[in-house]
Amino acid sequence: EIVLTQSPATLSLSPGERAILSCRASQSVGRYLVWYQQKPGQAPRLLIYDTSNRATGIPARFSGSGSGTDFTLTISSLEPEDFAVYYCQQRSSWPPEVTFGGGTKVEIK
Amino acid sequence: QLQLQESGPGLVRPSETLSLTCNVSGRAISSYYWTWTRQPPGKGLQWIGYIYFSGSTNYNPSLKSRVTMSVDMSENQFSLKLSSVTAADTAVYFCARYDFSSGGMDVWGHGTTVIVS
């Protein structure tokens, strides 16, 4: 099983600051790395797919990068609505499975 | 516009089978993969499995022995059965469309809470 480790667990920042979230895989996942945002009481929302492609309607302040085992989600300037939990997720070819990271909570400082 | 809606009992007794259905509206269920993911209270997301419209499946190895997914194209819905449930299966269960080529789940249902007690 491929394990995804997200860090930090919690990120305390102010609106307008830059957020950098990390996701590390226990083995290479190529570019099949996805990011979601989840707010309390809501379903996750797809932000980024294939490491760096923004999903439909996602603002340009969200960007993804990385390859292999190390990936990053960057929020260039935090808006009030960006305070939420962020999850990374991979889809491996072999074993053919999907796994999520443990999440990073971005909270207001 | 594609919409997904989960339905099923909110309370299941231990050792029994949890059964949920995801109704797909706004688009035919064919030509896509469909997934189930769950989230225990206060915890992160756990992938349960996915099913292709043709019926082929892939399940989380940790749940594989207890999971069955199926598709009903005539009703445009897909289903999840989880047998021999325990309190550890208490969670919000989400259905979603899975874009296999990108690896992302791009449309989600609102989720349904299932309590095992």
Side-chain angles (χ1 to χ4, degrees):
Chain A
E1 176 189 353
I2 296 177
V3 176
L4 297 180
T5 302
Q6 291 189 241
S7 63
T10 303
L11 199 52
S12 298
L13 295 168
S14 301
E17 290 193 296
R18 176 186 297 257
I20 300 175
L21 288 67
S22 173
C23 178
R24 177 164 291 179
S26 59
Q27 63 188 76
S28 178
V29 300
R31 288 185 60 81
Y32 291 121
L33 198 286
V34 177
W35 291 94
Y36 300 91
Q37 176 194 69
Q38 188 181 33
K39 296 180 180 179
Q42 297 184 16
R45 177 174 71 143
L46 178 65
L47 295 177
I48 301 285
Y49 64 93
D50 282 351
T51 297
S52 60
N53 295 295
R54 280 189 299 276
T56 303
I58 301 303
R61 64 180 181 273
F62 291 92
S63 63
S65 63
S67 66
T69 61
D70 289 293
F71 300 86
T72 299
L73 174 70
T74 300
I75 311 171
S76 60
S77 178
L78 284 164
E79 296 288 339
E81 62 268 28
D82 298 336
F83 292 92
V85 180
Y86 292 84
Y87 293 94
C88 59
Q89 173 241 303
Q90 67 82 27
R91 191 270 288 175
S92 59
S93 297
W94 192 261
E97 63 187 26
V98 171
T99 53
F100 288 93
T104 290
K105 182 179 181 180
V106 178
E107 65 176 22
I108 300 176
K109 186 175 181 179
Chain B
Q1 180 183 356
L2 177 64
Q3 293 185 313
L4 284 67
Q5 178 67 58
E6 306 88 349
S7 62
L11 181 64
V12 181
R13 296 187 184 279
S15 79
E16 295 190 343
T17 296
L18 177 161
S19 296
L20 297 174
T21 296
C22 183
N23 186 66
V24 179
S25 60
R27 185 161 295 183
I29 204 168
S30 57
S31 303
Y32 289 100
Y33 287 83
W34 306 92
T35 72
W36 288 97
T37 298
R38 70 182 184 179
Q39 186 169 37
K43 296 188 177 181
L45 301 167
Q46 181 184 34
W47 171 69
I48 299 172
Y50 62 71
I51 184 166
Y52 193 43
F53 78 99
S54 62
S56 64
T57 57
N58 188 24
Y59 302 142
N60 185 322
S62 69
L63 299 170
K64 187 174 183 177
S65 63
R66 300 194 290 131
V67 172
T68 303
M69 294 183 185
S70 59
V71 168
D72 184 338
M73 292 185 65
S74 66
E75 294 291 335
N76 219 45
Q77 61 188 27
F78 60 104
S79 299
L80 167 70
K81 292 187 185 297
L82 181 66
S83 64
S84 304
V85 297
T86 70
D89 295 311
T90 292
V92 177
Y93 286 75
F94 297 99
C95 61
R97 185 176 70 174
Y98 179 49
D99 184 340
F100 194 84
S101 61
S102 73
M105 302 172 198
D106 60 352
V107 181
W108 293 68
H110 293 296
T112 187
T113 298
V114 178
I115 296 172
V116 178
S117 177

